[in-house]
Amino acid sequence: GPALLFVKTSQGKEEGRRFYACSACRDRKDCSFFQWEDEKVSETRLAAREEYNRNHQPSFTHRQNVDRYKNFVLLPLSKRRFCQECQQLLLPAEWEKHSDHQFLCNITTAQLKSPSQLLYPLENKKTNAQYLFADRSCKFLLNLLIDLGFRRVLSVGTPRLHEMIQSKASQEEEFSVRSLLLDIDFRYSQFYTEDEFCHYNMFNHHFFGGEAARETCRKFLYEENGERIIMVTDPPFGGLVEALASSFKKLMAMWSETEKEGHDNKEMPMFWIFPYFFESRILDFFPSFSMMDYQVDYDNHALYKHGKTGRRQSPVRIFTNLTPSMIVLPEEEGYRFCPVCQRYVSSANQHCEICNSCTSKDGRRWKHCVLCKKCVKPSWFHCSNCNCCTLEKHSCEKSDVGCFVCGKAGHKRSACPSLSCT
């Protein structure tokens, strides 16, 4: 899909040179596309780029994959094979072509209903960062959505939540929740129809299936029979917040444009799942959002696990524009309701009478610093030289330059607004 516009700046300089780069890959090894904004591209280079794109298209279209799936499920169990090297369901006529590859045999219906467990997670941190919800978090999210009265879920980069909804819908007649998965991983087109999955890039709001896929999303967003809808998204944590926010606002706009009364001046309900240390960045773009204390954990991430203590706890939280008091967190997992803040908090998150808030962000009990006039992490101490709280062992050498990118004070390089332009 379309590239994003970035700006390359020198230390301390206001002006920078703008360039286009891949929206999804943050490593040139994965995508070498680079073009200065003011650069004139030759016809030869454009032709070479088009040729490269043609050679890197998937082996089958989404429609072909749907037809292949229909034929695959008709096969007896002994003839159901999945190539682990190509990450592809195989029909008997294709076995010979993959004869020297590793493959799984006897693929069951249960496995087909859980493709996120059949496919290898794409864990390249600078491209896909495909970490999958642990069963605990997935069940909690689904039960919460049902309790809140949502009957349709726009699952943006949340394949495990989508497959849990799809699986329950196929097994339980009374289950009335539906889901549409928007994801950049085209492998899921092998398991879902065009009404269940859209190949989508959340960094530039690009539907690879064109207007047909966009219309599928529009139709899903249209609220029929009073069925409430919510967007749940779990983006790669290394992605640019402003690029993600831009796409999410466009999805919200698609919802608000549906011909239904009551959308005026309202935001589409949303759960944005992201680490707590991005709170200020998310609130910059969505001031109506609040961060919940619930710790989201993942199956295939070594650090983001529930049940660990101290700094080893998962930093991933739920940001939402729903009223915080509506988000009921499980008491058996150590959450309690704060009547003053009117929201559920971690048991270690004690209410500060001075701040008049439950101030902890990371699951530990924070302490109030009268000099900083705010609560800080328990491992921090007030440094008279720096005139703020910080780690006990730190360097007091304060740079006059400020941010390395733009030279301004008040933010770090990673949060510099000059880093990108969307």
Side-chain angles (χ1 to χ4, degrees):
L4 288 183
L5 182 60
F6 297 84
V7 61
K8 191 171 188 176
T9 57
S10 300
Q11 184 175 350
K13 291 185 178 180
E14 288 284 340
E15 294 295 323
R17 193 175 180 190
R18 287 144 69 100
F19 65 93
Y20 290 99
C22 181
S23 59
C25 302
R26 298 182 301 284
D27 193 327
R28 295 277 166 77
K29 293 177 182 177
D30 296 310
C31 180
S32 60
F33 179 84
F34 180 94
Q35 183 180 313
W36 294 111
E37 184 187 24
D38 55 3
E39 180 182 0
K40 290 185 178 179
V41 183
S42 68
E43 291 295 328
T44 303
R45 191 171 160 198
L46 283 173
R49 191 179 290 168
E50 288 296 323
E51 180 65 20
Y52 179 89
N53 288 341
R54 277 195 297 271
N55 292 336
H56 286 78
Q57 293 300 309
S59 301
F60 301 100
T61 65
H62 194 167
R63 169 45 47 194
Q64 288 172 328
N65 274 335
V66 171
D67 292 338
R68 285 167 53 79
Y69 182 85
K70 290 176 181 177
N71 291 328
F72 188 89
V73 295
L74 294 175
L75 296 171
L77 196 63
S78 60
K79 291 191 176 182
R80 292 184 184 179
R81 294 187 181 182
F82 176 78
C83 179
Q84 292 181 293
E85 190 169 322
C86 300
Q87 294 285 281
Q88 183 180 311
L89 297 173
L90 298 180
L91 298 174
E94 300 161 345
W95 289 0
E96 187 175 349
K97 184 180 177 182
H98 298 259
S99 59
D100 57 342
H101 294 176
Q102 293 286 324
F103 50 82
L104 297 175
C105 300
N106 304 326
I107 302 299
T108 65
T109 301
Q111 286 175 297
L112 294 173
K113 296 292 183 184
S114 303
S116 72
Q117 297 183 28
L118 190 61
L119 299 167
Y120 285 137
L122 304 174
E123 296 178 355
N124 183 331
K125 292 180 181 179
K126 292 188 176 181
T127 306
N128 305 95
Q130 198 175 56
Y131 299 114
L132 303 164
F133 292 146
D135 198 51
R136 160 195 164 267
S137 290
C138 208
K139 286 179 178 177
F140 164 76
L141 284 168
L142 181 53
N143 290 334
L144 176 61
L145 297 175
I146 293 170
D147 291 342
L148 290 170
F150 294 105
R151 291 298 174 262
R152 278 174 304 139
V153 182
L154 185 65
S155 304
V156 184
T158 57
R160 188 151 284 180
L161 177 63
H162 174 73
E163 72 184 32
M164 182 175 281
I165 293 171
Q166 294 290 104
S167 181
K168 280 183 169 290
S170 66
Q171 295 172 16
E172 303 172 19
E173 285 187 20
E174 300 297 317
F175 190 78
S176 57
V177 181
R178 292 187 292 131
S179 173
L180 172 64
L181 176 64
L182 307 186
D183 204 286
I184 201 167
D185 188 351
F186 190 67
R187 297 178 302 171
Y188 285 106
S189 67
Q190 297 180 86
F191 304 91
Y192 300 122
T193 67
E194 291 102 322
D195 291 331
E196 298 167 336
F197 167 75
C198 292
H199 193 200
Y200 176 78
N201 183 350
M202 70 174 77
F203 288 103
N204 59 6
H205 187 58
H206 179 68
F207 288 87
F208 292 87
E211 189 54 37
R214 190 181 293 271
E215 186 58 29
T216 295
C217 185
R218 270 199 211 98
K219 288 173 69 175
F220 188 81
L221 292 173
Y222 185 85
E223 294 187 9
E224 293 181 301
N225 304 320
E227 289 184 345
R228 296 178 65 210
I229 187 168
I230 186 170
M231 173 165 48
V232 182
T233 183
D234 181 35
F237 301 150
L240 288 168
V241 173
E242 48 262 70
L244 293 166
S246 175
S247 293
F248 299 156
K249 285 183 177 182
K250 287 172 182 175
L251 287 171
M252 286 177 159
M254 288 176 69
W255 170 80
S256 64
E257 289 164 4
T258 57
E259 297 176 10
K260 205 72 175 173
E261 294 180 7
H263 284 181
D264 295 344
N265 301 318
K266 287 186 179 180
E267 282 185 335
M268 178 183 179
M270 180 175 169
F271 282 171
W272 181 341
I273 295 161
F274 227 50
Y276 71 81
F277 38 81
F278 283 100
E279 181 182 20
S280 62
R281 299 290 290 144
I282 291 176
L283 296 185
D284 282 345
F285 296 99
F286 293 102
S288 62
F289 278 34
S290 302
M291 187 180 80
M292 303 295 100
D293 271 23
Y294 183 80
Q295 294 182 17
V296 180
D297 57 336
Y298 297 80
D299 267 350
N300 57 323
H301 197 294
L303 299 178
Y304 297 174
K305 297 285 188 182
H306 173 69
K308 294 187 177 182
T309 57
R311 296 186 65 187
R312 293 183 178 275
Q313 299 177 82
S314 172
V316 187
R317 303 288 184 268
I318 300 171
F319 294 86
T320 183
N321 52 2
L322 298 178
T323 305
S325 60
M326 298 169 60
I327 313 298
V328 180
L329 304 185
E331 293 183 9
E332 64 273 16
E333 292 186 16
Y335 298 100
R336 60 178 180 82
F337 187 76
C338 175
V340 183
C341 295
Q342 283 291 295
R343 69 182 181 96
Y344 281 82
V345 297
S346 170
S347 57
N349 191 357
Q350 296 299 307
H351 192 87
C352 175
E353 298 295 338
I354 303 171
C355 296
N356 193 30
S357 174
C358 292
T359 52
S360 172
K361 306 291 185 186
D362 61 7
R364 296 178 292 170
R365 182 171 183 171
W366 285 21
K367 60 185 181 182
H368 191 85
C369 174
V370 293
L371 296 174
C372 290
K373 297 181 180 179
K374 65 179 182 179
C375 286
V376 298
K377 294 179 180 180
S379 56
W380 286 14
F381 296 88
H382 195 86
C383 174
S384 55
N385 291 331
C386 297
N387 195 30
C388 67
C389 283
T390 184
L391 289 169
E392 190 170 18
K393 294 180 180 179
H394 71 283
S395 173
C396 288
E397 298 174 7
K398 297 190 74 177
S399 171
D400 295 328
V401 176
C403 171
F404 178 78
V405 175
C406 68
K408 295 179 181 178
H411 62 267
K412 296 180 181 179
R413 179 190 183 282
S414 59
C416 181
S418 299
L419 271 178
S420 68
C421 182
T422 60

